Each structure stands twice: as C-alpha cells, then as structure tokens.
Amino acid sequence: MRQAKFETACLAIMLAMVLSALFFAFTLRDPLYLWYVGHVVAFAFFQLRMTSEIFRWLDGWPLMPDLALRLSDLALGISVFCAVRFAMIFLDTPRHFPKTTAWLVRIAWAMLIASVLSAMSRAPTLENPLSLAAIYLPQLQNFLIAIVSVVVVTSAIRGSWRGSKAANFYLASSLPLVLGGIFAALYAILVDANATFTPFLLPLAAFEAVVLSLGMADRALSLRQERDAARETAEHDALTGQLNRRGLMSRLEQAHISLQIAPETSCALLYCDLDFFKRVNDDFGHEAGDQCLKHFAETIQTVLRGNKDRRRARQTDYIGRMGGEEFIVLLHQCSADQALKVAARICANLRETPVRWQTLEIALTVSIGVAMLQRDAAPQAAIAAADAALYRAKHEGRDRACMAV
C-alpha cells in the first residue's frame, strides 16, 4: 500500500507539471511545452501499465487481448520521440550542434517506427506476419533508447561546458532518469527482456518533470528579458541613450490614450532645437557635435529631476531625439504655465553650462516650442503646433521658449 501511495504521488506530481505546461503552451504558443507534455504523459502511461491494475478489464476483449502491451510499446516510443524533440529545442542543438541534431532526428524516428511495429507484432501467431519481429523489436527499442540517451546527455554536457544555463537545468533534471533508463535498457538487452524498473524510474521521472518545469520557467524569463532588451535597443537612440523617434511616438500614443481615459490629466510637449548647431559641427567636428548632443540630453534630465513646481515625480516624463539636433520632451501632469517654466529652465541651464571639449568651451543655446496634447486631436497635431511655436522662437531671436497659439 505504501508503494502504491508513493507511485500515485509521483503520478500526481507529473500531472500537475503537465497541466502547468499546457497552460504555458497555449499562453506563450511555444511548442517546447507541448513536446514536454507528450514526453511526460507518454512515459507516465508506460509506467502506469507496469504498476497498475487499470488494464485488467481489457483482458476479456476478444479482439484486443494484448491491447495493454501494444499501447505500452507505443507510449514508450512516443515518450522517447517527444523527449528528443524537447531536448533539441531546450538545448538549441540545431544552432550549436547541427550534425548531432540530424542524428537525433533519425534515431528518434527509428525509435517511433520500432515502437509502432512492436505494438503491431504483439501476441505472435502464425497468421501474424510480424510475429517473428516481436522477439527482436523490444531489443531494438532498448538499444535505440540507450543510444539516444547517450547522444542527448553528451550534447547537454557540451552545452554546459559552453556555459549554457539550459544545459545545466537539463543535466540536473534528466541525467538521473537517463542513466536509469540506460541501465534498464542494457539490463533488458543483456539479462532479462521482461525486467521492470518502475519502482525507481517513476520517482526519477517525477523529479525530472519538476526540475524541467523550473528550467522552462527560467527559459521563458530569459526569453522575455532578451525580448525586452531588444525592444529597449530598438526604441532608444544609441548616442544619447534617450528615446528615438519610434519610442517617442509610442509614448505619445500612450499619453493620448490616457488623456481620453482620464480627462483630468494633462500632457505638455516641448519641441527643442539647438541653435546654430551646424556651426558646431563645421567649427569643431562631428565628435564635438556628438558631445554637445549628449550634454543637451543630460541638461534636460537635470532640469526634469530638479523641477519643484510639479506635484508628482517626473518619472513618467520622456525625452526623445527626433533626429539631428531636434529633441521632444513629453511632460505628464503638466499645465501650460508649468511647461513654459520647464522650457525656460532648460534654456537657462544650457546657456549657463557650456560644453567642455578638449581644451575648449562650446557655448550652446536652444529654442523651444511648447504645446499641449489635446484629447480630441492626434499627437501629430501637438507636434505640429509645437514646431510652429519653435519656429516663432527662432524668429524672435532664439534662446527662448514660445507657447503655441
């Protein structure tokens, strides 16, 4: 009874991991989880046939007296096939070990075909043309299991040597079961083909299911971090570290949606253009010009952090480089008067802090156009209004901020 309870607990653990993997398979649309489910379910079914009385009721069926054995052979092949496909994705063998991957695919298909033939050749009779194969196919299955286990473990060890975190998870989870499976297969080949090792293979399978679930969770987290890093890179300017045009337009769209949802909010937009910036590049070179652009972005950040007129922190404000020497600043929860004060501080700070380039000091000024985002107009309308105000600031003498009319 204790053994039955222990085996039931192992199966319950495997079932819980399968349900969790199914949820992530449909949520993330990642085939890795489906291969994992196929491997765990098929292996559990194979072991269940070895330990349970669940198939006894099939003994009386006249057409399928050996259905349990047939299904067991098929489940073993499916389990190994799914395990190989899972390992190929989890360890990324097509990228790191392409030749090994080709052999793994061949062996996995051979194992699946051998399992199908073994299931068809059960209950040897003179009428069954596959009856003779029933003697040799189980041995072939065990041989293929031993071979594919060695190849997969070797790939995981090579991946671990290269620093693969996924390979470490795979070795920690699957190595005990793989070694147990190799031992069971060799024992069946060399000693007793009918031997069963369920009492220790089942808990090893449950342990594998749990640790592999942790490995897949870590893989999903790593993929998400890589995706976020790629998105961060795609939305930011390489020189200044601020948002590029794409990233800024995305934030403007989000701000416009917020205005429509919460009418009490307000957002201001500052369109900034460094004065006579072409002269800087012509007189001092493009490296000096790049240094000036970075200095200007840092000046805006300093002003935003030091502004005391706002009731909330400026963590939701954004700076974006539209191209060249043009920048746009998006201010959340900011009135028109506050936006003009922020723009005036940016002008003053930039005027008072020249750029130090080698042994020289480069004086910079900026002209700024200020406009408010309107909930009934697209963000491009605010950009156009701020651009018009910027043109007026340039016309009135530069180094100043003007409000859109």
Side-chain angles (χ1 to χ4, degrees):
M1 180 62 70
R2 283 195 296 269
Q3 179 66 21
K5 291 181 179 179
F6 179 71
E7 292 173 355
T8 302
C10 292
L11 291 171
I13 292 173
M14 296 168 73
L15 176 62
M17 297 301 101
V18 163
L19 294 176
S20 174
L22 282 174
F23 171 78
F24 286 107
F26 290 106
T27 302
L28 303 178
R29 300 187 182 279
D30 189 343
L32 176 76
Y33 294 92
L34 294 179
W35 291 120
Y36 168 85
V37 169
H39 163 58
V40 174
V41 170
F43 189 82
F45 185 89
F46 172 75
Q47 292 296 324
L48 191 65
R49 200 276 301 173
M50 299 291 187
T51 61
S52 177
E53 303 292 321
I54 191 171
F55 292 105
R56 287 291 180 89
W57 65 279
L58 296 172
D59 291 345
W61 286 33
L63 298 179
M64 302 182 187
D66 301 286
L67 180 60
L69 290 175
R70 295 172 187 268
L71 294 178
S72 177
D73 288 339
L74 189 58
L76 180 60
I78 293 174
S79 175
V80 174
F81 184 82
C82 292
V84 172
R85 304 298 295 193
F86 170 86
M88 288 167 53
I89 300 175
F90 191 70
L91 300 175
D92 199 8
T93 60
R95 181 161 65 97
H96 299 296
F97 316 113
K99 294 182 179 179
T100 301
T101 301
W103 281 106
L104 280 174
V105 172
R106 295 188 185 100
I107 298 172
W109 277 109
M111 178 64 192
L112 187 60
I113 294 171
S115 299
V116 173
L117 294 176
S118 180
M120 295 171 60
S121 64
R122 283 291 181 178
T125 62
L126 293 177
E127 293 78 12
N128 187 353
L130 296 175
S131 59
L132 295 178
I135 302 173
Y136 302 105
L137 283 173
Q139 300 293 338
L140 177 61
Q141 283 181 287
N142 291 324
F143 176 75
L144 291 174
I145 290 174
I147 293 298
V148 78
S149 299
V150 171
V151 174
V152 171
V153 169
T154 302
S155 299
I157 292 174
R158 292 169 64 188
S160 178
W161 183 262
R162 294 185 176 189
S164 171
K165 196 174 182 181
N168 293 333
F169 267 107
Y170 188 86
L171 288 174
S173 61
S174 300
L175 190 58
L177 181 62
V178 168
L179 293 178
I182 292 175
F183 174 78
L186 293 177
Y187 189 89
I189 294 173
L190 302 175
V191 182
D192 182 6
N194 296 318
T196 176
F197 296 90
T198 298
F200 76 86
L201 286 180
L202 193 59
L204 291 180
F207 174 79
E208 179 200 46
V210 173
V211 180
L212 278 183
S213 295
L214 297 176
M216 289 188 295
D218 180 78
R219 175 180 177 271
L221 179 61
S222 298
L223 290 176
R224 180 175 180 178
Q225 291 173 342
E226 291 175 4
R227 181 200 65 190
D228 292 343
R231 181 181 297 173
E232 187 80 5
T233 302
E235 292 188 344
H236 283 75
D237 175 55
L239 176 64
T240 63
Q242 304 303 322
L243 293 171
N244 56 21
R245 178 186 291 268
R246 174 183 176 181
L248 181 64
M249 293 306 299
S250 174
R251 303 309 188 278
L252 284 171
E253 292 290 345
Q254 295 172 7
H256 186 243
I257 293 174
S258 299
L259 286 176
Q260 294 174 324
I261 296 175
E264 70 279 3
T265 60
S266 59
C267 295
L269 188 148
L270 312 183
Y271 203 132
C272 310
D273 186 12
L274 291 174
D275 298 325
F276 304 112
F277 185 72
K278 186 176 182 300
R279 294 181 185 176
V280 174
N281 286 326
D282 293 341
D283 295 343
F284 304 100
H286 288 281
E287 288 188 15
D290 290 346
Q291 185 64 32
C292 291
L293 293 174
K294 290 190 285 186
H295 174 76
F296 180 53
E298 293 169 359
T299 299
I300 298 175
Q301 284 184 313
T302 301
V303 172
L304 297 186
R305 285 195 298 264
N307 186 31
K308 303 299 182 181
D309 293 340
R310 301 283 299 286
R311 293 177 296 175
R312 51 184 296 185
R314 306 193 65 91
Q315 297 176 350
T316 54
D317 297 337
Y318 297 104
I319 307 170
R321 183 184 176 194
M322 295 295 286
E325 69 274 19
E326 295 182 351
F327 290 76
I328 284 183
V329 183
L330 176 62
L331 305 175
H332 283 79
Q333 289 294 76
C334 186
S335 66
D337 290 339
Q338 291 172 332
L340 273 175
K341 290 179 180 179
V342 171
R345 289 196 180 103
I346 293 174
C347 292
N349 278 33
L350 185 64
R351 185 189 318 117
E352 296 167 1
T353 56
V355 178
R356 297 187 181 277
W357 172 248
Q358 297 177 354
T359 59
L360 304 174
E361 288 189 351
I362 303 175
L364 294 175
T365 59
V366 62
S367 300
I368 302 176
V370 183
M372 302 298 295
L373 253 65
Q374 305 296 327
R375 62 180 59 90
D376 56 350
Q380 287 78 4
I383 295 176
D387 188 31
L390 168 64
Y391 179 79
R392 197 169 75 254
K394 294 277 189 181
H395 183 71
E396 292 179 3
R398 294 182 170 83
D399 189 19
R400 68 192 63 211
C402 288
M403 189 72 195
V405 295

